[in-house]
Amino acid sequence: MLLLSHRYLTDHQRAFAYPPEEAVVLVGRAIATGQDINGLKDLRQWLPLNRDSEVLEQIRQGKWVLLKRGSRAFNWDDFARLVQKQRANYDYTNAAANAVGTRKPSAPERSTSPVVASQTPFTAELIAVAGSQHDNGSGNKMMFVGQAVFELAMFKRYRPDRMRTLVIFTPAYTPLMLEKALKSAEGYGAAFVTVANFQELIAYLNTGHDRRQLPIEHLSLYSHGVPHRVAFGYELPADEAMSLNVLNHTQLSPSAFLATAQLDSYACRTGMGNRPDWPVEEGVQFYPQTNESLAQLLANHLRITVRAYIRRSDYKNTWGSFEQRKLAIVCGDSDDTAHGDGWCKRWVKLAKERRETDRAFDFTYQVMGAMNPVVSGNSPRVVPEGHHEFLPK
């Protein structure tokens, strides 16, 4: 049996998933009897409290999925991708040799597209996009970048044979912030691309590579958002020119994506189609009209699965959750490893990096990226929480 994060299940693997209730029983029994389950160690690594009850809760909520035997068995889709990889060898190797070398951006207004060349030809590309940030709070300035880098870590762990790319909207980021982001991308073996507006993002997604040889398999968006648009430049002067919205989403080319691709939006209310007419609807919404949402329109246009929040999204746990901060009190400033798995040692090291970055440069950051993923917010009320799937119609 195998445990995997729900975020990276393939369509083939979903067919082998145990129902959550049955998975909880099986994993609970395995833990009690000391049996080994592949992937259990990975699950424990990201828990704020490494307790068996926390493990089972992750499975009960469907955040981690238990797979039956056969989930890794041969299937024709995998075979087709291997054939595509062999066919792409010659063209991609030549393209990589001619690619622009990675370099540090010199100014936030300047848009460049440096690409990390690789000796290994890839079959598909996994892309994490970080929007610009208007908030001047130290902990918020780099939260979109931190989450996008966290996604690179997940890409590397679960899809190591795919090309990974970090795309950043440069307005409002300083050269030093961009250098920090570049260092993070390099740490995860990812390409680093900067864009200044939506048209430059579209240009990269559609034609940044020969999409017949290197299609997009996964696209994750980290940004502010309002109903009908992902606002990569929210409250900035160039806001409209930086937005992905219901009017320009058809500029994305469906042929740039694999048929099995997935698009994840972590912006607020991408799954809501009703723009509030009254102030009260910002807090309570009875008619989210999800069929008219940007998430559904993207799914219909691209013919792929889109996942998005109907509620607001919440980045509050980016640099540590409330529970983690309470637990960290017992760590003090030492490298105490009394918690068995060295959680304190890891927390103290990262907290020191965040603190030193804040003191020196007035923004919070750590090169490894966010501590925890984005979660569902509390508003608007009535509409369901969670990251919802929107399928093509």
Side-chain angles (χ1 to χ4, degrees):
M1 292 185 291
L2 172 67
L3 273 171
L4 280 180
S5 170
H6 77 285
R7 301 170 71 193
Y8 297 100
L9 287 179
T10 65
D11 291 338
H12 172 69
Q13 289 169 332
R14 290 181 194 279
F16 290 86
Y18 284 98
E21 298 79 8
E22 186 176 352
V24 168
V25 174
L26 292 173
V27 174
R29 186 181 303 159
I31 292 174
T33 58
Q35 298 178 33
D36 183 45
I37 294 182
N38 192 6
L40 181 58
K41 186 176 181 180
D42 289 338
L43 192 166
R44 290 186 183 276
Q45 181 177 350
W46 296 101
L47 291 177
L49 298 175
N50 188 1
R51 296 174 179 170
D52 294 344
S53 60
E54 296 292 328
V55 169
L56 298 179
E57 185 60 27
Q58 292 288 311
I59 298 170
R60 182 177 292 108
Q61 293 180 12
K63 294 180 179 179
W64 282 75
V65 178
L66 184 66
L67 301 178
K68 304 173 185 177
R69 288 184 178 180
S71 62
R72 291 183 171 178
F74 173 84
N75 69 83
W76 283 104
D77 288 338
D78 289 338
F79 179 74
R81 282 193 286 270
L82 288 174
V83 172
Q84 182 187 25
K85 179 178 179 179
Q86 294 301 318
R87 293 178 61 185
N89 279 355
Y90 177 77
D91 288 342
Y92 185 76
T93 301
N94 286 344
N98 294 325
V100 178
T102 302
R103 59 187 178 83
K104 296 179 180 179
S106 57
E109 296 82 7
R110 184 177 179 182
S111 178
T112 58
S113 298
V115 177
V116 177
S118 171
Q119 299 300 317
T120 304
F122 298 101
T123 59
E125 186 174 10
L126 313 174
I127 304 172
V129 181
S132 291
Q133 174 63 287
H134 72 282
D135 193 320
N136 286 321
S138 174
N140 294 334
K141 288 180 181 179
M142 292 282 279
M143 68 182 187
F144 296 139
V145 176
Q147 289 293 345
V149 170
F150 181 89
E151 187 79 316
L152 293 181
M154 297 298 100
F155 288 161
K156 183 175 182 180
R157 173 172 294 192
Y158 296 107
R159 297 286 190 274
D161 61 331
R162 307 295 200 263
M163 180 179 181
R164 298 176 291 279
T165 303
L166 174 63
V167 178
I168 294 185
F169 278 82
T170 57
Y173 290 120
T174 67
L176 181 59
M177 290 176 176
L178 296 176
E179 287 182 15
K180 291 285 187 182
L182 173 59
K183 185 175 180 181
S184 295
E186 290 175 337
Y188 290 114
F192 183 76
V193 175
T194 60
V195 297
N197 53 54
F198 175 71
Q199 291 304 319
E200 291 185 6
L201 175 65
I202 285 292
Y204 180 76
L205 296 179
N206 289 349
T207 60
H209 296 281
D210 182 347
R211 293 304 179 193
R212 294 169 299 178
Q213 302 291 350
L214 196 69
I216 299 169
E217 183 175 1
H218 199 136
L219 175 62
S220 295
L221 310 177
Y222 296 92
S223 172
H224 287 294
V226 296
H228 289 181
R229 67 189 180 100
V230 176
F232 293 114
Y234 186 69
E235 292 196 1
L236 295 178
D239 185 6
E240 289 301 320
M242 296 172 67
S243 292
L244 165 63
N245 56 51
V246 295
L247 299 178
N248 64 19
H249 74 281
T250 55
Q251 294 182 37
L252 276 169
S253 173
S255 63
F257 293 79
L258 282 174
T260 56
Q262 180 171 302
L263 189 158
D264 288 340
S265 172
Y266 293 93
C268 293
R269 297 180 288 179
T270 308
M272 181 178 289
N274 184 20
R275 301 181 68 175
D277 295 319
W278 305 95
V280 68
E281 291 181 319
E282 290 285 354
V284 180
Q285 180 57 257
F286 290 96
Y287 306 104
Q289 299 180 22
T290 55
N291 284 335
E292 304 301 322
S293 68
L294 176 59
Q296 187 61 62
L297 294 177
L298 284 167
N300 295 346
H301 173 63
L302 297 175
R303 311 307 299 170
I304 63 173
T305 299
V306 174
R307 296 195 310 172
Y309 294 102
I310 304 174
R311 289 187 174 188
R312 290 176 172 84
S313 51
D314 197 333
Y315 287 71
K316 65 183 178 183
N317 296 332
T318 296
W319 308 123
S321 66
F322 174 79
E323 293 79 8
Q324 287 171 326
R325 296 182 189 282
K326 295 292 288 186
L327 180 61
I329 294 175
V330 304
C331 297
D333 294 323
S334 67
D335 290 345
D336 175 33
T337 56
H339 291 268
D341 58 358
W343 187 89
C344 267
K345 185 175 183 179
R346 181 170 179 264
W347 175 269
V348 168
K349 180 179 179 181
L350 293 173
K352 181 180 179 182
E353 180 185 355
R354 296 193 299 271
R355 186 166 57 249
E356 290 179 348
T357 304
D358 182 30
R359 287 175 179 172
F361 311 115
D362 195 31
F363 62 86
T364 301
Y365 193 66
Q366 57 194 29
V367 173
M368 66 157 274
M371 295 286 292
N372 304 290
V374 182
V375 296
S376 181
N378 297 321
S379 64
R381 300 287 184 178
V382 182
V383 300
E385 64 179 345
H387 213 210
H388 295 269
E389 280 194 348
F390 292 80
L391 303 178
K393 292 184 179 180

